[in-house]
Amino acid sequence: MKRTVKSISILPAYGLKAAVALAGAALLSFGLSAAARADDLAVWDDQTYEGQSAVIEQLNKDFEAAHPGVTIKRTARTFDDMKLTLKLAVSAGDGPVITKVNQGAGDMGAMVKEGLLLPVDDYIKQYGWDKLQSDSVLARDRWEDGKFGVGKTYGISGLGEIVGLFYNKKILADAGVALPQTFEEFLADLDKLKEKGVPPFMMGSAKQHLALHMIGAIDQAHIDASNRAELDDLIYGRGGSWNTKGNIESAKLVQQWAQGGYFFPGFEGISGDDAVQLFISGQGAFLISGTWYFGDMQHNPDIGFMAIPAPKGISKPMSVGGVDLAWAITSLAKTKPTQDLAGAYIDYMVSEKAAETWANAGYLPATSLAADAKPKLTPLLSSGIEMWKTLNANDALGHYPDWSSPTMLKTIDDNTPLLLSGNITPEAFVDAMDKDYQAYLKDKK
Amino acid sequence: MSTAIGLLRDDHSFGFMEYWMKRSALDGSQHANLIYLLPGLLFYAAFVFGPILAALGLSLTSWDGLGMPKWVGLGNYADLFSDSRFYIALRNNAELMIFYCVLPLVLGIALAACVWNLKQREQLALRTFLFLPYIMPTAVLGIIWAWLYNPAFGPFNQFLRAVGLGAFALPWLGDFNFVLPAVGIVATWYFFGFCMVIFLTGIQRIDPSLFDAAKVDGASARKTFFWITLPLLLPEIRVVLLLTVIASIKSFDLIFTMTRGGPANATLVPNIYMYQLGFELNRFGAAAAIAIVGAILTFVINYAIHRFVGSQHKGVA
């Protein structure tokens, strides 16, 4: 303490130059000491919503307790913020050691190409992550020479996502409609609801992607998991065509629904998020969307969740879905001990215990729960977890169509309103998707 | 002697002040004073001029935001001018100018002419009320107006249905024909009060004797407006046009919060397209090219306004 005072008192004697030099040295030594503390673990995640953030805080605290001396420096960024800053921060050298990263060419693919992410295959083997999650889930984090879905694995996700059918039990019961078991029954139910003056579907196509998920979900429910190779090839940029009978049929069906009054009136001017709120308030019998709305949907106890009923003859129907952003280790983990610590952290984040914490908070974990786990589940989440189990057992977790090329989401967004309004034919809609995809394949070569 | 001393003292004090005033660094040559511009200039260079140059350089490359930018010369511009989406965006922007510039201008002048004839207190109240939209952030306005337009719970459609005009209760922000006017009207509502206030100050500036003379000559209110008020307001018209044209070309927040350019690009404008290319598709070179074209467009249109509007009253302007 005394020495500090003395050193300050002699500062003026050295003049400005010395002060600047001292400040520089202090900054440098601070920088060095920060870098030298290997036990500080800089982690970035995208869990900015209150409920999700609380789970991460809890898990981080538990991890620190299990690893004395380790301090987690957490930064939470929204999905968009993460997209904008992660790559630049890591390449500039002051980003995270562990991060959540968006799968796909624009983010994970680009970072792998620049050598900014480290493969996690050793940790998959060491911790047995391949036993916690199915191979088709892990494949979403694989990249090699610009090819998606093959090669080394660069991450693993903690949360799962499934697109399915939300239904309002009360509205169905009032209309005398039973829950459909097959796709044919589903179509009959829709007609019956419409006859009774109930809008069969809640829909909002002004913003977000309810219509895209509907078209994808209808299409993939018609694909048996044993025939999934064609869809995988499309998504992973290995080739193929979107111009299939199945895709055209799905687009045609959705167009007929839009034109035939099966959607909530005014859906063209309602955003997806607003449509979900209207559905929760008791408008519309069905809504096709994903498990990420569980938190909102649970406010109406009449709402249930199920897979899109499969047509006769399809025993293992696929469901559109995937996983949230993946946990990955960046190139800033320079030493083996740091890398191992990062591996241990990720292992904790995808462990059965973390899965239970997520489930208790109402979120669908990507890792199956332990056999003896007793989480307090909402009815919606129970259905979600059951579906996730079945999909993984059947290897039937499908894909978001927009993952197939970097521009696909824009192409689908541009053409969906035209399809729904009848301005283009279903064939033209599928053509536009395929044109985008073929251009992407050509560019890749 | 005493006078002499007094003079001497005065001389001395004058000389003293002069001495200090001369010592003021600002009395140096203009050249030497340039150094005081340096801090401002450095900020300007770092945050305005530098980024403009960087954008210009970037627009000549293909860059994904991560690796090394690849030189493509004018490739991005060639792509842009053969991209049908860009022309859609330009056309939409041109149509939006009616709502950003023309309507607020016409409404602003008409209202200013009406409000001008009111008593002081009423004038103040109306001026304040009509100016209010202008103090709100446009992004917030976008969100609120999107609720107003909502087909399910928005008050517009509820009102239409309540008065038996349910057939006109359209999905405003999802209708290909009405979405652009629906968004544009918000800009008009935002700007017209501001325009009116500018025109009111303009009318205040006009010599009242001109109006008196017109009255004596028996000019009708209409003639007075078209032959006296309007021509003398040209400098204000020019200012309003400059500001609203710039606002229309840089329009982003309103459209981003209301429609994100949809449905099917019906409200796509160059800035939204720039955002999509840059931040959604990682094509920063192409996005920079749009920014540069937008800047050039702003300069050209503003030059035209400078050149052709209000030029016969140079003294006033």
Side-chain angles (χ1 to χ4, degrees), chain B residues 98-132:
Chain B
I98 297 171
F99 296 95
Y100 269 82
C101 315
V102 180
L103 286 181
L105 188 117
V106 173
L107 273 174
I109 292 189
L111 278 169
C114 297
V115 169
W116 176 244
N117 293 320
L118 295 176
K119 286 192 197 110
Q120 199 69 24
R121 202 187 298 168
E122 282 89 347
Q123 196 190 114
L124 183 74
L126 263 180
R127 214 167 52 190
T128 313
F129 273 130
L130 298 180
F131 188 75
L132 274 180

Side-chain angles (χ1 to χ4, degrees), chain A residues 83-84 87-88 91 106 110-111 114 116 207 264 266 268-270 274 278 406-407 410-411 413-414 417-418 421 423, chain B residues 64-67 85 150-153 171 173-174 176 256-260 263-265 268 273 276 279-282:
Chain A
K83 235 175 141 48
L84 291 180
K87 287 175 274 183
L88 288 174
S91 63
M111 289 184 77
E114 297 293 328
L116 298 176
K207 271 190 223 166
F264 187 78
E268 306 97 322
I270 301 175
D274 284 346
L278 286 165
T407 48
K410 172 89 182 128
T411 300
D413 277 351
D414 283 2
L418 298 173
S421 61
N423 279 357
Chain B
D64 62 358
L66 195 60
R85 280 195 193 122
N150 191 296
F153 51 76
L173 298 183
F176 296 110
F256 190 77
T257 48
M258 290 183 82
T259 62
R260 301 223 164 186
N265 294 328
L268 187 77
Y273 195 33
Q276 291 176 347
F279 297 115
E280 287 173 8
L281 301 178
N282 290 330

